[in-house]
Amino acid sequence: MSFENYSFYNNFLSKSDLKIYDRNALLIYALQLELGSDDIHSIATQSLIDGSDDRQCDLLFLDSENERIILAQAYFSDSYKNEAPATKASLLNSAIAWFFNKEEVDKLPDRLKPIATEVHEAIENELIKNITIWYVHNCKESQNVKNELKKVTNTLNRYLNNNEINSNYLEVGLDTLEEWYHASTTAILIKESFTIPIEGGYTIKDSDNQWEGFSTSIPASWIQKMYKDYKAKLFSANVRDYLGSRKGARNINFGIQKTIKGDPTNLWVYHNGITSLVHSFKENEEKTKITINGFSIVNGAQTCGVIGNLQDEINQSAKLPIRFIISKSNQLIPDIIKYNNSQNKMIPSDYRSNDKIQRKLREEFSNSKYFNYLGGRRGKIEQPDNDKFTIPSDSGAQALISFHGRPSIAYNEKSEIWDKGTYYDSIFNDHISANHIIFVYTLFKRLMDIKLNLINKEKRDAEMVKKDRDILDFLRYRSSIFLFIHAISSSFELITSKTINSYLCLSFSKEGNIDTLCKNWDIILPSCLAARNTLMIAAYNKLKNASEIDKAIKDFQAFIEATITANYNDYKKFSDLISF
């Protein structure tokens, strides 16, 4: 065996944009596969825990919107190995102790305290219901590693002391990565045939013979067995897998569980059931059984997860409605998945994706030679053949609202940008243009690139010069980039020596690709980053104090004004690149 036996590996090696993450590149690749994210670089910049004092944690991904935390350790081998070192998995016990023991937060390095504090705040405010411990590596999975990860999860449970949060572990090795990669390209991972008892049913097909379906009822006990046998493979055609059960107003899973245990006969009428994709189906002559080939759940992951995790045998009177669908058109499958999941939790950007401003922006971007724009839409986005760069909706909106004066909203209330009319309208109105979004986003991306370059430089050069080390210490604060974008914008008239009537009209005067336009910012960033210390306190306190932010911006502006003469040529050169 070798890496060449795994089809995902060539795909991973082809991701040149991930090389900047060095030994953590595979970890970020795994996260991208699992999340299906089009904005992985923004996530990586916020979530990577780097440096010699990382407390045995390479990544801490806090996703309050989807009520989950992923804490990960990574290992990368240059040669094929049958097993990853279990000792590295056991080091995660230390990470758990540092980040989930509240008494240890104050002992963490200053750069790690904000994220640790956010983790505890999210848990205390009941914003988290799933915590998963990852060990990501490019070796075969092993029982030794799983045993260590199980111990780590037990450690986590002791610190949580909260039975409403699901805690689990996941060894993400070669086989899991291969499975995730195929799941991202194939709707049906389970290929076997199954014969299921049914109680009647009917077939329906469309007039163009694009699809055929069979609607019936099946025993809930069959779903229980399938979940125990196949776990996540069941959901290869679903936009999300099972999220866990806990009692709460926002979660219907507890109700499903209660029905199955206490009122199984009424399961059929209380719940919507399941929609699945199959390669084929056929009833027997008596119409008491159906044989299917292949199986993937399109909708109903939560129902299946609740049923599958029940320890007791399910009463045979518990029946589930189900639809088996054969799609005879590959182009139809994404829409089947999309529309069957329209009742899933909506995020605020979903509601804006079709308003007139987002439609206008997507039309403008369609004429761009170098850029695409999602405009509130979600989905797994691969870079197109023409190498256009896709500006993600969320980080694009965060950069915009920071540039236009509200970095605290960008950092602390990302969803509010799309949800609250006053925030949304302040940046997405008739004056916004594709060129302005490109202008602001390239500043955001350039700052992320600088941070990642310095992280890798630190790993290579322990004696990194003090200036670079100080810049990295600043950028490691998770709120720093949003605050710095606000500071740059607030100082723009000083930098350009021009009166700016509308900041929404600012753009680069010439087109260019992502790398070219990002480098435009290099003309002024060295002199502006020299003022970073004026922003430190506000960044450390997570932009939660408005008066701190105001003082930081005034101090930043004073620094820029005091150094205008020394930096005049650079500021003039940059100003000449801008359309006002």
Side-chain angles (χ1 to χ4, degrees), residues 495-497 563-574:
I495 292 170
T496 61
S497 298
T563 57
I564 281 179
T565 301
N567 297 303
Y568 176 80
N569 289 336
D570 287 339
Y571 291 167
K572 176 68 168 60
K573 182 179 178 182
F574 180 74

Side-chain angles (χ1 to χ4, degrees), residues 227-290:
Y227 185 85
K228 292 185 185 303
D229 289 346
Y230 293 98
K231 290 292 193 316
K233 279 188 177 181
L234 278 177
F235 312 121
S236 59
N238 199 297
V239 296
R240 59 178 184 174
D241 59 13
Y242 173 53
L243 297 176
S245 299
R246 70 175 173 88
K247 191 173 181 179
R250 292 173 297 163
N251 197 311
I252 65 168
N253 297 346
F254 182 79
I256 299 171
Q257 194 176 75
K258 185 178 178 181
T259 300
I260 292 170
K261 289 180 177 179
D263 196 9
T265 304
N266 286 327
L267 179 66
W268 192 93
V269 293
Y270 286 170
H271 298 289
N272 293 332
I274 296 166
T275 299
S276 65
L277 285 175
V278 298
H279 292 305
S280 67
F281 59 76
K282 185 177 181 180
E283 291 179 273
N284 66 353
E285 291 184 3
E286 295 79 16
K287 299 187 181 299
T288 57
K289 294 180 181 179
I290 188 170

